[in-house]
Amino acid sequence: MALSPKESGKFISSKAIYVTIKDEGVKNLAKKVYEELKEGKNVRLWSHKEHETFPPNLNEEEAVSWIFLLDALNFCFWTKQGEEKFIVELDGKQFTGYFALCAALNKALKNGVTLLNPKTYKNLTLEDLQKIFVGINKKEMPLLKERLQCLHEVGNVLETKYDGLFINCIKKANKSAVELLKIVTTDFPCFYDAATYYDKKVTFHKRAQILIGDLWCLYYGEGISEFNDIDEIAMFADYRIPQALVHFGALTYTDELMEKLKQDVILKNGSPEEVEIRGCSIEVVERVNKLVHEIMKENNDNYKCNSILIDNYLWFYRREYADQLDSIPYHKVLSIYY
């Protein structure tokens, strides 16, 4: 029986050799998150609809399909040191990383590619994808063949099991985030993100969980975005959040691991170092969330806070303060899982 992402984080952190959680850093980060909650600007439900890469005039069904499409492809945007980034221009503005994905798909939609229909993307060719994912510098998005395989897989599953609509998966889950996580990781194999650590099956399910988080935020927890157990979802164990956690002093690495990261060594998916970085990140955010709730109780506050909101805050913080955080190396893995 595989451990859930939260259980996995707890187990991995109890055995970790290469990565250490620092209590003082966790406390300081919890205080910062609490202060941000009080301010009400940076720790909140952030909807994709607020971003300029989100296509205008989508109805609910289409908006849900758009989020699913994004998270089916939401992996591996890093570049090696000194390499040119993948950059997409949309409406005169340039985007990198994840938002380059959003911008490229938006451009394809504007150009008449019916990307919200699985009939379209389950039949795309590599040449089609190369045209969609070409940057302004003619640089190609990484892992294009793997992205194509993901699109073919999820398109076929939607067509055969869900009448071509991801919204039917949400309805089947009946407002349960845990049930939707089970549906997504069972019916769409490319979302199943796991490893073996000390003979235990641990799960991270980064893309499946971020899909649920994105759907929850899409309509701010209302209507199709309502989940009764959303707090059961853990943070999204990627390569950027650990970088922020090291910055805040909540995580530290052994000298050996830090040297590997500085040398830009690509870690293997499922290696002990990678598993520990991801697992300890989950556990840090769980501890931060617990401490924030304790602080709120002491102060008779009742702000909405969970692992998703803390994750979103850290991810945007990393982008906003990229110049400061870029001195901290982050782990790189060639993987479809994050």
Side-chain angles (χ1 to χ4, degrees):
M1 181 84 175
L3 299 177
S4 72
K6 287 190 180 188
E7 292 168 339
S8 298
K10 193 168 188 177
F11 174 71
I12 293 164
S13 65
S14 73
K15 302 281 188 184
I17 298 166
Y18 301 98
V19 185
T20 303
I21 297 174
K22 308 298 282 186
D23 289 341
E24 197 58 36
V26 171
K27 286 176 190 171
N28 290 336
L29 180 53
K31 287 173 189 170
K32 182 158 184 62
V33 169
Y34 172 69
E35 291 301 322
E36 295 284 0
L37 275 169
K38 281 205 300 184
E39 199 173 301
K41 191 174 83 172
N42 294 323
V43 184
R44 63 177 184 86
L45 277 78
W46 177 86
S47 173
H48 273 72
K49 293 190 293 144
E50 299 173 34
H51 200 265
E52 59 260 62
T53 56
F54 191 86
N57 307 318
L58 298 186
N59 63 34
E60 181 182 85
E61 199 173 88
E62 291 167 337
V64 165
S65 295
W66 178 256
I67 294 296
F68 178 69
L69 176 67
L70 289 178
D71 285 322
L73 297 168
N74 184 1
F75 55 86
C76 204
F77 302 113
W78 56 263
T79 50
K80 286 184 76 70
Q81 290 171 20
E83 274 189 8
E84 209 172 4
K85 289 182 178 180
F86 176 71
I87 303 169
V88 173
E89 190 171 289
L90 176 70
D91 298 331
K93 189 171 178 182
Q94 294 183 359
F95 299 92
T96 60
Y98 170 69
F99 287 120
L101 166 74
C102 301
L105 292 175
N106 187 318
K107 281 180 80 169
L109 206 61
K110 283 184 175 185
N111 291 332
V113 184
T114 52
L115 281 171
L116 299 179
N117 189 337
K119 277 192 180 76
T120 298
Y121 54 76
K122 77 172 189 178
N123 291 312
L124 287 174
T125 65
L126 186 59
E127 190 180 1
D128 294 329
L129 217 56
Q130 284 168 334
K131 288 175 185 172
I132 291 171
F133 293 128
V134 60
I136 59 170
N137 43 12
K138 302 301 177 189
K139 184 178 171 70
E140 202 175 83
M141 187 178 273
L143 300 187
L144 265 195
K145 287 180 182 174
E146 289 81 356
R147 293 179 201 278
L148 186 66
Q149 288 167 1
C150 288
L151 287 176
H152 288 173
E153 178 195 291
V154 301
N156 280 312
V157 173
L158 284 179
E159 284 279 284
T160 55
K161 292 194 74 169
Y162 292 102
D163 225 8
L165 294 169
F166 184 72
I167 203 166
N168 290 334
C169 296
I170 303 174
K171 290 173 180 174
K172 183 180 175 184
N174 195 26
K175 299 189 187 301
S176 169
V178 172
E179 187 57 32
L180 185 56
L181 182 63
K182 195 184 300 178
I183 290 167
V184 171
T185 54
T186 302
D187 288 351
F188 303 91
C190 69
F191 279 90
Y192 191 85
D193 173 12
T196 301
Y197 184 74
Y198 281 88
D199 297 324
K200 272 195 187 290
K201 189 70 167 284
V202 292
T203 62
F204 305 101
H205 295 330
K206 184 266 180 178
R207 280 170 48 232
Q209 291 203 130
I210 203 170
L211 168 61
I212 293 165
D214 287 346
L215 291 167
W216 176 56
C217 291
L218 182 62
Y219 293 107
Y220 305 102
E222 296 181 357
I224 200 68
S225 291
E226 184 185 353
F227 294 101
N228 298 326
D229 53 356
I230 194 66
D231 293 347
E232 295 304 310
I233 299 299
M235 65 80 74
F236 320 131
D238 70 348
Y239 55 93
R240 285 302 197 179
I241 300 300
Q243 188 182 24
L245 295 176
V246 170
H247 167 76
F248 282 112
L251 276 189
T252 59
Y253 302 148
T254 60
D255 292 343
E256 176 193 355
L257 176 54
M258 184 58 90
E259 193 54 37
K260 276 189 182 181
L261 303 187
K262 283 178 180 175
Q263 296 300 322
D264 234 16
V265 173
I266 296 176
L267 300 183
K268 189 178 175 185
N269 183 227
S271 66
E273 295 103 322
E274 185 227 25
V275 167
E276 289 185 13
I277 291 170
R278 298 183 80 197
C280 289
S281 297
I282 291 173
E283 178 62 13
V284 165
V285 173
E286 286 306 302
R287 293 185 192 181
V288 168
N289 187 41
K290 187 180 177 204
L291 284 174
V292 170
H293 280 86
E294 288 174 6
I295 297 168
M296 284 197 290
K297 193 174 178 182
E298 287 169 12
N299 291 279
N300 293 315
D301 293 323
N302 193 27
Y303 305 116
K304 180 66 184 171
C305 187
N306 60 21
S307 299
I308 296 171
L309 297 182
I310 295 169
D311 182 291
N312 285 345
Y313 165 67
L314 292 168
W315 192 81
F316 279 110
Y317 182 96
R318 203 288 313 168
R319 285 184 75 89
E320 186 178 353
Y321 298 100
D323 291 347
Q324 291 178 34
L325 271 69
D326 275 352
S327 61
I328 301 166
Y330 59 89
H331 74 289
K332 299 180 175 78
V333 180
L334 282 168
S335 165
I336 69 166
Y337 300 113
Y338 62 100

